[in-house]
Each structure stands twice: as structure tokens, then as C-alpha cells.
Amino acid sequence: MAEFKLARRRGADAMRKRQTFKDLVMLAAERSGLRAELFVVGPEPGRFLRTSRATAAWALDRTPHARRVFEESFGSLDVSVAQFTERHAGHVRVTDLCDVLPPMVAAALVR
């Protein structure tokens, strides 16, 4: 099972960060037994997921369905994005497409 995030990042990009976190939550909550992978473009999304002190409550405040899934699967929303990524989403592989695509293709994605 895979989710691709091909949006280019510019500045703070709060909505894109929220969307990336929501996708990570949904993949982490999936119990189908399939390998879960989140594909992103550039290092910023992965860095956000690994280091952000923003809470899950903030990241999911505009997606009620994802909030319900989070609470049912993982409990309190009072956990940082980084803590969630480490504790609950460690099995979800986050791959920067720039690291796996040919350099010319990767360069076109980040322009």
C-alpha cells in the first residue's frame, strides 16, 4: 500500500504538512498486512515527520475522519508529530522520490 505526495513545498506549507501527516496516520492505522509506504518529494516532508514538535491535534484539526481514526487506533492526540512517527508509524517507510529517481527526473519534480 502506498501514498504519493508530489506537492512542491514552499515556505511553511502548513496545509501540506497537515496532509502529509494525515496520510502517515492513515497508513499507520491500516491493518491489512500490506507494507505501508509514503512517497514524498524532497527532504522537507520527511524532516517534518521526524522532527516536528507540533501536536497531532494541530496536524489533524481540519480532518475529522483522520482525527477519529487516530484516536481509535493510537489514543490521545496530545503527542507530537515526531513522537507519533517514531512510536506508531515506524513501520511506514517514508521515501523521498528524489533519492530513487534518475537525477533529471528528480530535478524536474523539485523545480
Side-chain angles (χ1 to χ4, degrees), residues 20-39:
T20 300
F21 183 70
K22 179 201 66 99
D23 292 336
L24 180 69
V25 168
M26 300 308 282
L27 286 168
E30 178 59 42
R31 301 291 178 217
S32 68
L34 297 173
R35 184 177 70 217
E37 297 191 52
L38 177 64
F39 293 92

Side-chain angles (χ1 to χ4, degrees), residues 3-103:
E3 182 73 34
F4 291 85
K5 283 295 147 198
L6 301 179
R8 293 183 185 131
R9 307 257 176 212
R10 304 274 190 260
D13 286 326
M15 285 309 299
R16 288 187 179 96
K17 288 177 180 180
R18 287 179 163 130
Q19 182 66 39
T20 300
F21 183 70
K22 179 201 66 99
D23 292 336
L24 180 69
V25 168
M26 300 308 282
L27 286 168
E30 178 59 42
R31 301 291 178 217
S32 68
L34 297 173
R35 184 177 70 217
E37 297 191 52
L38 177 64
F39 293 92
V40 297
V41 174
E44 293 85 3
R47 187 178 311 118
F48 167 72
L49 294 173
R50 288 187 313 275
T51 65
S52 178
R53 292 184 298 196
T55 65
W58 169 83
L60 299 175
D61 73 343
R62 300 194 179 168
T63 51
H65 173 70
R67 285 177 72 95
R68 280 191 300 280
V69 169
F70 186 101
E71 290 175 314
E72 291 168 5
S73 300
F74 309 110
S76 172
L77 290 157
D78 190 28
V79 60
S80 75
V81 168
Q83 289 170 331
F84 173 82
T85 300
E86 182 180 336
R87 292 179 192 165
H88 301 292
H91 66 286
V92 179
R93 183 175 172 187
V94 179
T95 301
D96 180 355
L97 288 174
C98 293
D99 293 339
V100 296
L101 293 173

